[in-house]
Amino acid sequence: MLYLVFGHTAEEPPLRVGPMPSFKVRGAEIVDHAGAVLARHNGQRWTVNERAFYRVDCDGPVLVRLEGAPPTGTLGPFEHFSLFNGTAYASRDVFAHYNEHDHGWHLHQTDERCAAIQVTPVIQP
């Protein structure tokens, strides 16, 4: 199961959301496995229940699957997945950037585009 930790820079305590079997970063929204919107990006911060956060972290190991992109399959495993502003990180390396004009995510290394990034836990045997 996964937990999302929404964090500020210092003063306020983080907000922990979960557990959930998966989540998606769909455009400027984070949605849970059932499709409920958990957070929205307003161009600078992630907003949850009218509270603004600079970053979102999810400890792994996790797998990442791109939706609405050429068939790249599942990527990972990654030790960590996070979002800071309009950038997604996998294992603390830049993974993708959000483009407000086409409401999609652009992969950093390949420049492929996708509509959503699905994150699931690695199933341990």
Side-chain angles (χ1 to χ4, degrees):
M1 296 300 256
L2 300 174
Y3 289 89
L4 293 174
V5 179
F6 293 85
H8 297 283
T9 51
E11 298 84 34
E12 294 185 43
L15 172 66
R16 190 171 189 224
V17 177
M20 64 191 87
S22 67
F23 67 90
K24 288 182 190 178
V25 184
R26 182 181 65 200
E29 299 177 328
I30 300 173
V31 297
D32 70 9
H33 61 285
V37 175
L38 301 173
R40 286 189 171 85
H41 194 263
N42 67 10
Q44 296 180 1
R45 297 183 186 166
W46 291 95
T47 304
V48 182
N49 298 330
E50 299 181 22
R51 291 178 60 194
F53 299 92
Y54 285 103
R55 64 179 297 125
V56 184
D57 290 286
C58 178
D59 285 334
V62 298
L63 300 172
V64 173
R65 189 172 69 79
L66 308 176
E67 295 187 358
T72 55
T74 301
L75 306 173
F78 299 107
E79 295 174 19
H80 185 266
F81 183 85
S82 61
L83 299 160
F84 181 79
N85 220 343
T87 303
Y89 296 84
S91 290
R92 304 201 191 311
D93 291 325
V94 175
F95 182 77
H97 304 279
Y98 179 64
N99 184 316
E100 291 182 8
H101 298 292
D102 65 13
H103 306 286
W105 288 86
H106 297 228
L107 277 78
H108 179 69
Q109 293 198 358
T110 65
D111 202 34
E112 286 181 85
R113 297 174 182 187
C114 66
I117 300 169
Q118 181 181 32
V119 180
T120 58
V122 171
I123 306 299
Q124 302 292 337

